[in-house]
Structure formats: structure tokens, C-alpha cells
Amino acid sequence: MNKDSKIHGVDISKDVFDVMDPKGHHHQFINGPKGFKQYLKLLGEEDLVVMEATGYYHYLLAQFLYESGIKVSVVNPLSVKRFVQMKLAKIKTDKSDAMAIRDYGLVNEVPLYDGKGKDHAESLQLLALMDIYLKQRTQIKNKLHGEKVLGVPSKAVYGSLKRTSKVLDRELCSLNERLLSLVKETQQEQLTNLKSIPGLGDRTVALLIVLTDGFNKFENAGQPCNYAGITPTIRRSGSSVRGKSRIVGNRKLRNLLFLCAFSACKHNKGCREIYERITAKGKSKKLALIAVSNKLLKQAFAIAKSGLPYDENHASKLS
């Protein structure tokens, strides 16, 4: 963090964004071009705007401010959440969230936004649309199966379902190609390095880069694992608190890693050793695969941060 900067904390939602300026004054603007321009009038060269990564909503403002010459930092929302919890804050409003983000920026080193948000935003849009089409394709396939079981009583219905299925296949293929090309354009070096990890392929690595924003918002290997939800939260204190382990995190990233774990158990030495060690103790295969997912993500984080390709000797040292 630049100590000479004047920190603004920004909490963004779908329709508006709240600002807590360096003097402790609260402002609220429409989350759109008009609100962006109004907010820009309050900013100077020494100001630093800190905001959380919030799916789609923060990208437009971050990009606008960046292109307007304003320093911007997009931080991990989990880090801000932990910061708020440490302060034992009891009030949670948009105003208090903006203040918490500003205070977080005041006491922590925060990374500067590099202007790549526009490409990342498109990647997230592609993923969201692909999810919709995948669900629709599954519904269509199930319906086709049902028609076959019934002996295809309506050729018109069956024909329509077949045509729709083909259209969805073409659209998914096109969107996947665009996603891969976008990642290659912006993250070619990281894509190549991550592909060197045994068990990860082109599409998997592209999705991994998009879902983690190239690991830019993580400071240590444990943070992406928490973000993915492959480190269950255990609630246990003395003899009175015995809560169940909870899995909280990015489900898409978690599912992606879990699917990769099957291949990694065969081709990735470090992952295979963990899998065999856990199953040899009589633990379930699912638990072993979660541990493998954790290992894979830590390997990916190390490679992304080092800028070097996979090295089996070094990778085996990661816990």
C-alpha cells in the first residue's frame, strides 16, 4: 500500500455502490456510467480506491477508474471478512462494509489493479452462459431418453429435441473456444506453465485461471483452498461445541478440481502418494480425492506465483 495515498473503501452491489472516503464521509452512487462519472469528480491523483472482488459487479467500476488514471485495488472478500471478524464488528450495512474495506486498505498491503478486468469479466460471462446451456442440454438429453422409452409417440417432439440438442452442442463448442482463446491472449505464459502439471489439460487450466483470476487475489497457498471450499470448516471447542464440518466456497472450482483429481492420482506423483497414503489408512476414497484436489490447487498456486513450469521434485514438497 502507498502510505501517501488517500484510501477510499467501496462496497458494490447490483444497483448502487457505497463509498467511505478518507475523511469518513459516506457517499452512494448508481452502479452505472452516470454514477461512475459522479464519483470520479471526488477523486484526486493521490487517492486509492479499494473494493472487493464481487463477481461481475466490481469490474465495470474498476475498469472505468483505471482508464481514468485512478489507482484501484481489488481485494479478496474473504480477507476483508476475516478482518471484520477480528474487529468484532456487530453492525453490517452497506455503509459499514465500505468503512471496513477502507480500514482494511489502511492497514494492509493491497495489490494494484492492472486493467485486465475487462477480459476477465467476459470470461466470467462465457462461463455463466455455458452453465445455462449445459443445464439445458442435460434436460434435453433426459427428455430424449424418455421419448425413446415411450417409443417416440411424437416424431415432431423427438425431432425438435434432436435439433435443439445439436444447437446447444454447437454453441457450447463455440463458447468454449472463445474462452480458451481469451485466456491464451491474456495469460499465455501462465496457461503453459499450469498445463505442465500432470493431470491438468487445456480446458481445465483455462477454467482454473478464470475462476481464480490468475491467482492474483491470493497471498498464500491456503487462501485458494479456502476459496474453493476444499478445507472444511470444523466447529469444535471444549466439550460443549461439536458442530458438523461445513464446506463453504466456490462450488464450480471445487467440482473442477475434484474431477481433475481422478487423473492426477494416476499421473501426478505427489497426488498419487497422498491418495495412496490416505486410502492405506482405511479412509474413504472421497476424502483422499479431496486431499488430492487440495494438493493440485497448491501446486497450481506455487507455479502461478513462481512463473515457472511444474517440477516434480519441488512439487512433492508441497503439503
Side-chain angles (χ1 to χ4, degrees):
M1 182 195 71
N2 184 352
K3 294 183 178 180
D4 297 327
S5 298
K6 298 176 181 178
I7 308 295
H8 291 239
V10 177
D11 180 66
I12 303 178
S13 59
K14 179 181 179 181
D15 299 317
V16 299
F17 63 95
D18 291 80
V19 178
M20 186 61 67
D21 69 22
K23 296 181 179 180
H25 297 151
H26 173 245
H27 311 268
Q28 188 178 82
F29 303 94
I30 295 173
N31 190 5
K34 182 179 179 180
F36 298 168
K37 292 176 182 178
Q38 290 174 339
Y39 178 41
L40 183 62
K41 294 177 182 179
L42 301 179
L43 296 168
E45 293 182 358
E46 296 181 352
D47 290 329
L48 171 62
V49 178
V50 182
M51 64 184 74
E52 292 179 325
T54 54
Y56 299 111
Y57 299 135
H58 77 276
Y59 283 108
L60 290 178
L61 177 58
Q63 194 70 23
F64 173 84
L65 294 176
Y66 174 82
E67 293 175 356
S68 299
I70 302 298
K71 289 180 292 185
V72 181
S73 178
V74 179
V75 298
N76 186 349
L78 288 175
S79 297
V80 177
K81 182 179 179 180
R82 299 289 182 266
F83 176 75
V84 173
Q85 290 173 339
M86 288 176 64
K87 294 179 67 176
L88 302 177
K90 296 181 179 180
I91 300 174
K92 179 171 174 55
T93 63
D94 293 335
K95 179 180 177 180
S96 67
D97 286 345
M99 182 183 293
I101 295 170
R102 185 201 63 178
D103 292 346
Y104 177 84
L106 284 169
V107 299
N108 290 278
E109 293 287 340
V110 293
L112 289 179
Y113 181 71
D114 59 7
K116 295 180 181 178
K118 188 175 182 180
D119 295 325
H120 189 64
E122 182 182 352
S123 297
L124 289 174
Q125 284 182 291
L126 289 167
L127 276 180
L129 185 56
M130 288 169 68
D131 275 348
I132 292 172
Y133 285 167
L134 284 168
K135 290 177 182 177
Q136 290 178 346
R137 188 174 68 174
T138 299
Q139 292 174 337
I140 294 296
K141 286 184 176 181
N142 291 339
K143 182 63 176 174
L144 276 169
H145 177 71
E147 290 294 311
K148 289 180 179 179
V149 171
L150 293 173
V152 191
S154 173
K155 292 183 179 179
V157 170
Y158 187 79
S160 177
L161 290 170
K162 289 285 288 184
R163 291 191 297 272
T164 303
S165 180
K166 289 180 180 179
V167 170
L168 288 172
D169 285 341
R170 288 198 299 270
E171 289 301 318
L172 281 167
C173 183
S174 176
L175 292 173
N176 190 58
E177 288 178 359
R178 172 57 184 164
L179 179 66
L180 187 58
S181 67
L182 197 61
V183 174
K184 286 181 177 179
E185 289 173 12
T186 59
Q187 302 274 14
Q188 179 61 66
E189 182 179 358
Q190 190 173 95
L191 182 72
T192 301
N193 288 339
L194 289 175
K195 278 171 56 182
S196 66
I197 300 176
L200 299 183
D202 274 5
R203 183 176 182 276
T204 299
V205 169
L207 290 174
L208 187 61
I209 290 174
V210 172
L211 292 172
T212 62
D213 194 8
F215 292 93
N216 289 325
K217 56 188 177 184
F218 303 117
E219 300 163 3
N220 57 65
Q223 289 182 345
C225 294
N226 289 332
Y227 177 70
I230 49 179
T231 50
T233 300
I234 300 175
R235 298 178 65 246
R236 181 173 298 171
S237 178
S239 59
S240 60
V241 179
R242 283 290 188 273
K244 293 182 178 179
S245 297
R246 297 185 298 118
I247 296 179
V248 180
N250 188 304
R251 181 180 296 178
K252 185 183 292 295
L253 179 57
R254 184 166 64 250
N255 291 343
L256 175 69
L257 290 166
F258 193 77
L259 290 174
C260 294
F262 290 92
S263 176
C265 287
K266 299 178 181 178
H267 307 291
N268 188 309
K269 181 182 177 182
C271 292
R272 183 171 61 251
E273 290 175 349
I274 286 180
Y275 182 84
E276 292 175 349
R277 184 168 68 246
I278 292 177
T279 53
K281 294 179 181 179
K283 303 292 185 180
S284 70
K285 292 182 179 180
K286 182 177 181 180
L287 182 64
L289 288 170
I290 291 174
V292 169
S293 300
N294 191 297
K295 176 77 170 182
L296 267 179
L297 194 53
K298 287 184 176 180
Q299 288 179 348
F301 174 83
I303 287 172
K305 292 301 182 181
S306 69
L308 300 173
Y310 176 84
D311 184 319
E312 185 175 277
N313 294 324
H314 291 163
S316 62
K317 297 177 183 179
L318 294 172
S319 59

